[in-house]
Amino acid sequence: IMFKLIAIDMDGTLLRSDHTVSQYTKDILKKFSDNGARIVISTGRPLNAVIHYINDIGIFSDDDFVICNNGASIYSIKDFSPIYSNYMDINICKEIFDLGKSFNVAIEAFSHDFSIASEKHNHFDNGDNNDLPLKVHYVNTSDDLANFDNLFKIMFVADEDKINEIIPLVPSQYIDNYNAIHSLPKIFEFLNKDCGKGFAIANLCNILNIDINHVVSFGDAPNDVDMIKMCGTGVAIGNAYDEIKEIANFITKNNDEDGVAYFLEQYLS
């Protein structure tokens, strides 16, 4: 079957290590797009950190969509308005904020066009991700969070060793009742339970009247698990975490070898 929708994670998957998309990848995606397949970027990033790539890839039209915030939001590319949003309960965000404070980690939370941070140490200011023009509001206490609504996700940010150390200490109620994911080495984040890239793709398939069995998804990290599982074809990038490789239908080359385009090109031939 021809893929009707191609869902692609960004960091560690579509993007090379230098955060670029190769011309080869753009050419292959264009071939599929020209043949009627929908290309959907599906990322943990907020919208503002994706728009530049949508323009750069250059194949998207007003009829296309992008999945952001690990599936908590879907935007129409036409005017970047949200067509789906899955917000968290602000009281839960306050509890998680206090938990993060007790672990002595930085805390960040995201809405559509701003983020909240507990301290100037902002994951997106330290050179990892300098393409994020989001307004940041700095808050000191969980009570300050009450001034903000429409938060999609709240996350702990620290160096990798510290994050690995605190994950086992997070009370089980937050692990069991929320989608708690170690999305990047320095980040552990919380979203609503019915929230994830796979759920967002299922939603989009309903809107577009596409059978999810005709969807191929590409990912590399724990926040891609539900997407790889739920789509008809799940492809792990060569540099993916083992837990992704174990559940994927196929494993392709790594992100610096254009694994997404490599797999799709094999599929064409």
Side-chain angles (χ1 to χ4, degrees):
I1 48 167
M2 180 67 186
F3 297 128
K4 301 226 173 112
L5 192 151
I6 300 169
I8 314 171
D9 166 57
M10 284 179 65
D11 294 279
T13 301
L14 181 66
L15 302 185
R16 294 178 150 193
S17 299
D18 63 1
H19 289 165
T20 62
V21 180
S22 72
Q23 189 58 48
Y24 163 60
T25 295
K26 292 177 196 173
D27 292 344
I28 296 293
L29 291 179
K30 185 172 183 339
K31 272 188 188 167
F32 274 81
S33 176
D34 289 347
N35 278 327
R38 280 185 178 269
I39 314 293
V40 177
I41 286 175
S42 181
T43 178
R45 291 180 179 222
L47 178 66
N48 290 36
V50 185
I51 291 176
H52 154 74
Y53 290 100
I54 286 171
N55 295 331
D56 176 58
I57 293 166
I59 59 170
F60 298 102
S61 75
D62 282 357
D63 299 334
D64 285 316
F65 300 92
V66 56
I67 294 169
C68 296
N69 297 300
N70 278 324
S73 57
I74 305 174
Y75 299 92
S76 160
I77 284 180
K78 180 179 178 183
D79 52 7
F80 293 113
S81 60
I83 63 156
Y84 168 82
S85 306
N86 194 328
Y87 301 121
M88 290 186 75
D89 178 333
I90 196 71
N91 292 317
I92 297 300
C93 291
K94 288 167 74 168
E95 288 177 24
I96 292 172
F97 188 97
D98 288 335
L99 182 65
K101 279 283 194 194
S102 74
F103 289 143
N104 204 19
V105 294
I107 303 127
E108 289 189 53
F110 285 91
S111 183
H112 288 293
D113 50 6
F114 66 86
S115 73
I116 291 167
S118 63
E119 50 194 78
K120 273 284 193 274
H121 158 88
N122 180 330
H123 162 69
F124 297 105
D125 290 341
N126 63 8
D128 288 2
N129 246 325
N130 50 13
D131 55 356
L132 187 60
L134 266 190
K135 180 162 177 51
V136 181
H137 300 280
Y138 292 99
V139 302
N140 292 313
T141 69
S142 57
D143 286 339
D144 297 338
L145 281 186
N147 301 319
F148 303 97
D149 52 7
N150 297 354
L151 299 179
F152 292 118
K153 62 176 184 176
I154 183 163
M155 60 196 205
F156 297 157
V157 185
D159 62 55
E160 194 172 350
D161 293 343
K162 175 81 173 172
I163 291 289
N164 287 331
E165 189 184 304
I166 67 166
I167 289 173
L169 306 176
V170 175
S172 60
Q173 75 216 57
Y174 298 111
I175 303 289
D176 298 342
N177 297 321
Y178 295 88
N179 188 0
I181 38 186
H182 192 180
S183 54
L184 289 170
K186 297 179 179 178
I187 294 180
F188 190 72
E189 58 187 79
F190 302 86
L191 303 106
N192 283 334
K193 188 72 172 174
D194 60 341
C195 198
K197 295 181 180 184
F199 290 102
I201 289 165
N203 266 324
L204 202 47
C205 284
N206 285 336
I207 293 167
L208 299 172
N209 201 15
I210 289 174
D211 182 337
I212 201 163
N213 290 316
H214 295 169
V215 178
V216 59
S217 60
F218 293 86
D220 73 309
N223 61 331
D224 297 316
V225 166
D226 68 326
M227 172 170 83
I228 296 287
K229 275 186 178 165
M230 286 167 79
C231 295
T233 305
V235 183
I237 301 300
N239 46 281
Y241 284 65
D242 287 343
E243 65 185 284
I244 296 289
K245 290 181 174 173
E246 283 160 16
I247 59 170
N249 302 103
F250 299 97
I251 299 172
T252 183
K253 293 184 172 183
N254 72 32
N255 62 322
D256 285 319
E257 299 168 319
D258 302 310
V260 171
Y262 176 79
F263 176 87
L264 290 171
E265 192 173 37
Q266 304 305 305
Y267 190 86
L268 277 180
S269 51

